[in-house]
Amino acid sequence: MARIVMKFGGTSVADLDRIRNVANRVKREVEAGNQVAVVVSAMSGVTNQLVKWCQDLSPLHDAREYDTVVATGEQVTIGLLAIALQTIGVDARSWQGWQIPIRTDNAHGKARVEEIEGDTLIARMTAGQVPVVAGFQGVGPDNRVTTLGRGGSDLSAVALAAAVKADRCDIYTDVDGIYTTDPRIVPRARKLQAVAYEEMLELASVGAKVLQTRSVELAMKQRVRVQVLSSFEDKPGSLVVDEDEIVEQPLVTGVAYSRDEAKVTLRRVPDKPGIAALVFGPLSAANVNVDMIVQNLGADGTTDMTFTVSRTDLPRAKDVLEKSHSEIGFEALLADPDVAKISIVGIGMRSHAGVAATMFKSLAEKGINIQVISTSEIKTSVLVGAEYTELAVRALHSAYGLDSEG
Amino acid sequence: MARIVMKFGGTSVADLDRIRNVANRVKREVEAGNQVAVVVSAMSGVTNQLVKWCQDLSPLHDAREYDTVVATGEQVTIGLLAIALQTIGVDARSWQGWQIPIRTDNAHGKARVEEIEGDTLIARMTAGQVPVVAGFQGVGPDNRVTTLGRGGSDLSAVALAAAVKADRCDIYTDVDGIYTTDPRIVPRARKLQAVAYEEMLELASVGAKVLQTRSVELAMKQRVRVQVLSSFEDKPGSLVVDEDEIVEQPLVTGVAYSRDEAKVTLRRVPDKPGIAALVFGPLSAANVNVDMIVQNLGADGTTDMTFTVSRTDLPRAKDVLEKSHSEIGFEALLADPDVAKISIVGIGMRSHAGVAATMFKSLAEKGINIQVISTSEIKTSVLVGAEYTELAVRALHSAYGLDSEG
């Protein structure tokens, strides 16, 4: 007997047939003797329609009313799934955020879950009833419906799993697990049996979009075991768990890439104390996230500063820096949007030296120039010309022995 | 300065343009210096889609889950209307049933409003904010969303008007008021300035479908002044008020008709104590509503009993009576679905004798045979052959001086 939270996204509940399919999956878990709670998103397309209505009425609409409108999508799905479950003999009851309650802060449209009252749901589950919970929503301190932002249903599921002390949170999605890299680039990419929380976070931050980053952070903090699996096929997925659970830890778990990068270089900036603050302060104030940063000291008391921003932020970044030209005092601003970030991620890197050296060597052998390097404890990222993305990913996937044998 | 509840039905909020139109109407009331609360239905068509989904999943769906699903229609409208109001500079805030709360009993799908907490809304209105309230819904004793049944938004509006001590409840609809009779039958029908609650109830019970009967009952009980007016034209409608408010009271206020009638006659029923219970007990048990009843005593210890049921109930009524044949002991059962009920309604009938005599005389002059007569304090109804419906309505409308001069 296990206690499981099952989460189904919008494509899994897109119409009545798929809702019936979800009900059958839930029934199988119940019949296997498990205690089950379900978290669902809105039927796919519904949320977009609701968002569009709000935007058509006013681009600057009140976030509280926006939340009132868009939260209805999940409310419809929980009622329909509860009916579908009851119809096949599974005791079920729907729950909106305010009914549980799922308490959040007041940040409408992107609220944070603060507390979930789990006792009632645990009692229902213990008595054999399946709670069907609306994802993506909660209730704020002033008794107003809040939403958690796009992809927030993953977050709802993980938070609920923590609140009901579930053994596992199963996230059903349109991919069947987490891969060593993007299978569209490397057909021999392998599905991972298990990934550590920290690895998943690093992978998510560099482009592997399987799980929403905030939900992984929460799972790590609350030690919720997460499984990513397909809602259309019937086979095990990939576990996201504490590293202690992963018996055989490879040096590198996965290779990720991000094309949403742009490189900015400021030439011959005066090398004086406080210069970094002069550069990055205004960017931060303009909500431009800066990622990789390198600084090369010149001989003449100036320095070249290079850093990356997301490609969509590049125009804003240039604008902000041009306005600060006289204060910063750079000689030239060079911007290059044709770059990509390639990353290797693995808990094993923590205890093994020389892992990054293999990366640099493999890329050099393929004639790929590395423009910027940044490292964290379990990740090494390099910036390369965008046209080398696939070549670099494939080279690294082979170099670290990740190719499947099949 | 007045405090007004404005209610808009589904066709008045069918799309974003109509929602903007409603917002402008509300703004005009606010700018006239009034305190305003708004009650809205779901965008037309939405509730039908939601109901269909529930029925497709299971014809015998759980009423609690049905309520969870269908209540979303109104939730979308209140959020959108609040945004539309804010966009044109009107301070507004949406309210779902559970947020106010509008407390109901536990009869999901057709719940009764038990209590509405009005203080918070009054405070908001006094401070110049417009509450936009979801019609048709409330919250039950177990914290579950309830719905009031079809047409329940009228009821929501009247109950809310009572709770916030409103001076008037304006029901915006697709007709522009209450008429002396159906203008499709009598083009010279006149719009009434004012109708008494009791008259409206009698008119509603005999086919004038402008206001839901339960909402009129509630308005009468709570002394809520109701106005019925058009959401598409800008002119005063008809008031439904206490009879004391109506200065010039005509003898007859309106002529109504109902084609949803069927006549049943039991021939030669033994005339003994308890025979009525033997006939009407089983009908009541089978949920067949019996309306007009007459009994003609024969000379031979038997009696002919005639009564009407709604036309849709006729097959069931016949079935029930045939099954009780041996107990009741009638000689023959005659059923006639080709009848119509014509009614004259007016508070003035209470204090004036001879009003009904005019009715009988007018119908006789047109050669219309009266099959059954029933009277109440302010209404006289006759059953006639269905083919005489229009002729009878026109004759009575003229006879009581209701034709307009135009």
Side-chain angles (χ1 to χ4, degrees), chain A residues 18-27 81 84-85 88:
Chain A
R18 292 200 179 170
I19 287 174
R20 288 191 192 96
N21 178 47
V22 165
N24 284 321
R25 279 210 166 246
V26 172
K27 186 179 187 179
L81 180 55
L85 283 166
I88 57 172

Side-chain angles (χ1 to χ4, degrees), chain A residues 62 65 75 93-94 144, chain B residues 65 75 86 93-94 144:
Chain A
D62 183 308
E65 299 305 343
Q75 189 176 335
R93 180 60 61 220
S94 71
R144 291 266 140 206
Chain B
E65 300 305 342
Q75 188 176 336
Q86 292 165 355
R93 179 61 60 221
S94 72
R144 291 266 139 205

Side-chain angles (χ1 to χ4, degrees), chain B residues 202-251:
Chain B
E202 295 285 13
L203 287 168
S205 74
V206 290
K209 301 284 183 207
V210 179
L211 284 176
Q212 188 222 30
T213 307
R214 277 166 68 196
S215 66
V216 181
E217 287 170 355
L218 185 66
M220 181 162 83
K221 189 174 155 212
Q222 302 271 5
R223 300 285 134 183
V224 172
R225 302 173 71 244
V226 173
Q227 184 180 203
V228 175
L229 66 177
S230 165
S231 50
F232 304 110
E233 293 170 64
D234 198 9
K235 55 185 182 187
S238 301
L239 283 169
V240 184
V241 291
D242 195 279
E243 58 184 277
D244 296 343
E245 269 202 60
I246 302 173
V247 183
E248 217 174 321
Q249 194 62 257
L251 286 183

Side-chain angles (χ1 to χ4, degrees), chain A residues 344-366:
Chain A
I344 54 170
V345 173
I347 291 279
M349 294 169 71
R350 213 182 307 178
S351 46
H352 287 78
V355 176
T358 303
M359 183 182 204
F360 306 147
K361 184 162 161 280
S362 309
L363 295 176
E365 281 171 6
K366 298 288 180 187

Side-chain angles (χ1 to χ4, degrees), chain A residues 21-162:
Chain A
N21 178 47
V22 165
N24 284 321
R25 279 210 166 246
V26 172
K27 186 179 187 179
R28 254 181 287 157
E29 291 287 3
V30 170
E31 286 182 340
N34 296 315
Q35 291 180 8
V36 180
V38 187
V39 174
V40 284
S41 304
M43 297 161 81
S44 64
V46 168
T47 304
N48 287 339
Q49 172 67 73
L50 296 168
V51 169
K52 184 172 185 306
W53 277 339
C54 292
Q55 283 171 344
D56 284 355
L57 281 174
S58 169
L60 294 172
H61 46 259
D62 183 308
R64 278 169 292 193
E65 299 305 343
Y66 167 91
D67 280 355
T68 298
V69 173
V70 299
T72 59
E74 280 71 19
Q75 189 176 335
V76 170
T77 322
I78 56 173
L80 295 179
L81 180 55
I83 290 172
L85 283 166
Q86 292 164 356
T87 305
I88 57 172
V90 177
D91 184 15
R93 180 60 61 220
S94 71
W95 295 86
Q96 297 178 55
W98 60 271
Q99 288 174 314
I100 295 178
I102 297 176
R103 294 196 194 286
T104 72
D105 63 15
N106 211 10
H108 283 275
K110 49 178 198 303
R112 279 193 166 271
V113 175
E114 290 188 336
E115 195 195 356
I116 298 181
E117 169 54 47
D119 290 349
T120 304
L121 296 189
I122 289 174
R124 300 273 186 137
M125 291 167 82
T126 306
Q129 192 176 70
V130 174
V132 181
V133 177
F136 177 62
Q137 65 172 240
V139 61
D142 54 356
N143 220 25
R144 291 266 140 206
V145 174
T146 53
T147 65
L148 312 182
R150 277 309 176 92
S153 289
D154 285 355
L155 198 63
S156 302
V158 171
L160 188 75

